[in-house]
Every structure is written in C-alpha cells, then in structure tokens.
Amino acid sequence: MTEAVSRPTLEAVAARAGVSRATVSRVVNGGDGVREPLAERVRRAVEELGYVPNQAARSLVTRRHDAVAVVIAEPETKVFADPFFALQLRGISKELTAHDNQLVLLLTEGRADHVRVARYLAGGHVDGALVFSLHLDDPLPGLIQDAGVPTVFGGRPGWGEDTPAADPGVAYVDCDNRGGARAAVRHLLDLGRRRIAHITGPLDQTSAADRLDGYRDVMADVLGESDPRLVVESDFTPAGGERAMRELLDRCPDVDAVFAANDLTALGALRVLRESGRRVPDDVAVVGFDDMVPVTEQAEPPLTTVRQDIEEMGRLMARLLLQGLSDGRHRPRTLPGAPAVPGSPGTAVILPTTLIRRASA
Amino acid sequence: MTEAVSRPTLEAVAARAGVSRATVSRVVNGGDGVREPLAERVRRAVEELGYVPNQAARSLVTRRHDAVAVVIAEPETKVFADPFFALQLRGISKELTAHDNQLVLLLTEGRADHVRVARYLAGGHVDGALVFSLHLDDPLPGLIQDAGVPTVFGGRPGWGEDTPAADPGVAYVDCDNRGGARAAVRHLLDLGRRRIAHITGPLDQTSAADRLDGYRDVMADVLGESDPRLVVESDFTPAGGERAMRELLDRCPDVDAVFAANDLTALGALRVLRESGRRVPDDVAVVGFDDMVPVTEQAEPPLTTVRQDIEEMGRLMARLLLQGLSDGRHRPRTLPGAPAVPGSPGTAVILPTTLIRRASA
C-alpha cells in the first residue's frame, strides 16, 4: 500500500442518507421502527459507500453473529466425493442466505480435528451449528454440547444412551429410513424375489442401522427367519459396494436381489454384477436409497431407489435452527431443566420417503 | 437436559497433571518454556478430560483464532460441481490441519452475498483469508481490504489498476497460465495443425485472459495474424464447451485442432465432436488445461492437457498466509507505507506447468 484507504463510517452513511447515526444503526442492525422510505435511503447509502458494519459492535447490540456453522463429521475428501453432502449444503445455503446468515463450513481431515472444531464453536464465532454424519463413538456431540452452541443434527443422533448427548431435548431432521427400507424390500418380494441380500452402510450410523432394521422387519415378517449370510456390512461408497457384492456372490451365488443402503453402494454392486455376467434385473434385481439424480438415472440400468429429499432436509435443519434462535428457544444446553416444548431443541422432523421405480428392479 | 453438565476447567487439568495453572495455560496456548515431560503430562490430561480451552480468553493472550477463512467467489453449486475447488481445498486443508488451524469455508449463493462475507471477515473470527475465483468487477477484494484481514489470493488478481486493490503488495499463488497455453498451442502446431481454435474461459478472470494471451502469442509468432473466428469465449464448464464447439464447427468447419481453456470445457468439446462424426485426434486434435485426473484419463479419447498442480497451489496459499501471520509480516492493509519486502504480502508464487500427452492430441 502506498496510501491509507479510509473505510466508510456510520457517520458517512448517515450524512449520505440525510438521517441520524441512530437511524443508520437501527437499519443496519435489522431493527424495526424505521419507516420504509427512510430505511430504503439508508440501505442505498450503505450500498453506494460500500459500508461494512463493525461486526464486533453490532454483536454487542444484537448478541448475534448472523452466522451458522456446518460441521460434517467426515474427512473433507469424503465431503467433496459424496454428492449427498453437496445436496444437503445446497438446502442449508439457500435457507441461510434467504435470512442473510453466513454459512460457515468447518472442514476437517479426520476425527482428530474434532476438538479443534469444538474450540472454534466455543469461541463465539457463530450463533449455532448444523451437524451431520455422526458416528456412534464420535466425541463431537459431547464437545459441541460443552461448547454451549445451539445445534440441530442431520440424522437421528444415536450415541450411547448413557452419555449426556443422549439428551431427549436434542433437535434433528431425518428421513424415514426404516420405512423406506421396508418399502424397498417389499417391492423386491412383490417381484417374486426370495434370496434378497442387503449391503448395509456403516452400522455405527443410525441411518444405516435403521435401514438394516427395515430390511429385517420385512424379511422376518414374510419369510420367517432370514439368512444372515445375505447381509454384508459396507460403507456407503461405490468401492465398498463392489467389495460387498463380490463377497455376496461368493457366499450366496443364488442371490436374486440386492437392497443397497445407498445409491453409491448400488452403483458398485451393479458394476460387479455386470462383470460377473449377471443380468440386472433378470438375474439379480437391485434397489438403492437416496435417489441421487442424475447418478440414478444414468446408471446401467437406471436404478430403482428409495427417494429422500436431501436438499429439503438441509433447508429444514437451517430453518429449525434459525427459528429456535429468533424465538430465543435455544438455551445454553447446560442449563438444568430446560423444557422440551414443541419446536424447541427437542424437535424431531422426519421426512417421508418414496420408492422410485426405474429399470433395475 | 435434566442435569447440568460441568465443563472441565483449567484447574481440573492442572490438578490431573499435577502442575500449576500457569503451566497448563502455557502448554494450551502453544507457548514455549515448558519441559517436554511436563508438557506431555498436560496434553494427556487435556485429552483425558476432554478440556476445551476458552477461545475468547486464549485469543486475548495470543491474538490468534487459529482459524483461516477460505472464500471462493462463486455460487456454492459451482464450488461443489467443479473438481478444481475440491483439489485446491484439499491442499489448503492439509496444510492448515498440519498447523492445527481450522479451515472456515464461507459459502455464498452469489455475488450479492459478498458484503455479508466481508462483514464476517471483518468480525474478527479468523486470522486471515484465502480468496479465489475472482472476477474483474467483483467488489469482494475491496471489501476484504477494508476488513483489514491478511489475505492470499489464488490466481493473479486482475481487477482494475486504479482501484485500491491493485496494490502491488498483494500476495498470490498462480500457475504459469500464459506459458502453459503457449506449450499447448506449440504442440498442436508441431502435429501439423494450422486451423487451431481456442475455447476460452470467462475473460473477466486472469487465468482465462492469460491463456488466451498465450494462444495468441504463438499463433501470431508462427502464422502471422490469426483468424479471430477461431476464438470463442466460454465459461470453464462442460455445457459451455459444448456450446462453443458447436459454434466453432458452424463458423469454421475446417478447424483441425482445439485448445480448450480447461479440461471441463475440453470434455464438452469432445462430446460435440463425437456427435458431429469428427474423429479425435485424426480430424480434430484437442488439448485441455489443468489435468483433472481421473477425468482426463477417462475421457474418450484420453485427454492431452496442460498440467498444473492444483492441490500444491492450495497448500502454498495456506503456507504463505501462515508464514506471514507467524512472522507478523501481515499488517493491516490500510496502514500507509507498509514495505513490500520479499515474502511479505507482496509475494507472488508462480508454479510451472507441464504438457501431458495422451491420445487426444
């Protein structure tokens, strides 16, 4: 720099708009009580001068940062490789932007970084957090609770019931994983399949555990006891789906259907079935979960799957958090005796699922 | 919550480790002067108790948040659709994590949100910012400069020379866009091609403008004046590459080579050439830019391209910023007369490029 660049002040905005400092302050801090023509003049002056409000002073008045953290408890490589997160972030981003809140995505390399994430959350840089992809033994929810940050979880948190985080007042948004899985398996039974396998997700995540439960519900109902060799644990990735499908063909060469715990896993299974010369759906029918368009439409053959509205889940998570913040319903989580009224942090929103029929089953 | 959960205190850590509060404080705040066996005992106690340091108090001592913002001046949909950003973030994430700094990714829906981003940066939530994908008329660099946040840019910032942000002291990391483009066009000339087209990126970005300059350099050198109809402006996306290739075939049916400004654009061009019945490389040779593996390897035919080390660029941006912060070389940008010493915010790091030959040219 060769010269000082002066930053436009509140005074400059007031002078430009021909109003008092107090009026500018009220408009900038989102307060009411300023008539619309005046408020509009202030907003125009703010824009023309490129005025940036002093956030620290502003926070003192509003006690808000207008920023919400998103924490995905997976390594950043997975965040960018799995379109699930992109969709969820799209919903979150739209909702936060509509309310002029900044989306602050905290990325990590792995679980060792979760203490640092909690430290950032505890540091007073955001008003709340949206947290997803938790695994059962992850210390993150406990750390976040200690940080005292209002939080909405994506997916039912399922950590041990004796930990503080098993708080019944926890707020989360999820889809009907168990019901969706039941619909998938019932559809395969209706097609006349009987040797129906299930490739699970990571079973330390409630979404994967719930889908397995749904599979077992229907298999037990219809067939009585089911063959445990038909269930292979996997990890929600295409490579994991390939490994699991190879193991299944090895164990149970008579398998005639596969319910994969998500679409990416189903893609891996389709690849191995093709390599092994099995026709889909003639020899083996395949159903996925998520309906990750366009991946499901472009699969060979196009994938029958259980649709959940991932973007809408993200949007609802953000909305639930912002509503709680503006109603003052989010209290520090360490306060004893906080009531679990409807819409409070004790809210669970469960979205329905739909079976989408394409060519694979 | 039915009961208060107490958060472990500095005192509890001191008691557990059998040291003084001051010793714990020094270890936690990364200070020196604590003997290793003692420091190790403190770290173990911190881990066992799940102690989260009070960030606000810590910041008062260190004046650091140990957090760095990443701002990508594109809508979040593009951030997740273009693998370029995932690669750059991978490099940034690795470097920041190695120094226990939190990566804070600020996502936006579009340019209208840049004032909010600047407000967050000005709010004292991060120690510095890494900013990329700037377009010429974007107000963001000016806003960031006003926010007084130490910044390293990804790609040479190219905004107007009369704006404050044209500061010669600006720090950035880039690849040799012009040199890489020259190598691509020279390669096509060496193959005997003469009707060499160029599909550009968005020309309000310096990377795209520099690649166009490199193309023109060589065409003018070798062929004298070049045919302006051979240059079509595009936008770094596959869909844009398709549109541009259709226009090119329309304008210049005798085109025998295409240098696309990035790999995604080249993919779109390959698709249209296939549809139109042209053989690659026999009828039309194609060269891309970036070397986005595995996309380039899996293209039909595999894509010849100009490789830049995108992950390394991200790593260097983070390293440059952290070095500047720890050396205290980053001063508030509004201070007059800050010297432009080597390694200071006036640093530019330009990485070399390499032509990677595959089947398409």
Side-chain angles (χ1 to χ4, degrees), chain B residues 203-215:
Chain B
L203 291 175
D204 63 346
Q205 292 194 299
T206 57
S207 57
D210 291 355
R211 289 170 203 178
L212 173 59
D213 283 344
Y215 163 83

Side-chain angles (χ1 to χ4, degrees), chain A residues 156 174 177-179 181 205-215:
Chain A
R156 178 171 60 83
D174 206 344
N177 289 300
R178 192 163 181 164
Q205 293 193 299
T206 57
S207 57
D210 291 355
R211 291 171 201 178
L212 174 59
D213 283 345
Y215 162 85

Side-chain angles (χ1 to χ4, degrees), chain A residues 272-316:
Chain A
V272 169
L273 287 168
R274 209 163 36 239
E275 279 169 21
S276 75
R278 315 271 172 137
R279 290 164 306 162
V280 176
D282 306 48
D283 301 327
V284 183
V286 177
V287 179
F289 203 110
D290 285 342
D291 196 22
M292 206 75 82
V293 174
V295 166
T296 42
E297 289 170 349
Q298 289 165 4
E300 283 180 44
L303 189 67
T304 295
T305 190
V306 179
R307 175 161 211 268
Q308 60 168 324
D309 192 338
I310 302 168
E311 186 175 328
E312 175 69 5
M313 281 175 62
R315 215 176 52 74
L316 282 174

Side-chain angles (χ1 to χ4, degrees), chain A residues 93 105 109 120 125 333, chain B residues 1 93 105 109 120 125 333:
Chain A
S93 176
L105 179 58
E109 292 282 297
Y120 194 78
H125 302 301
R333 303 289 308 285
Chain B
M1 292 294 317
S93 176
L105 178 58
E109 291 282 298
Y120 194 77
H125 303 301
R333 304 289 307 285

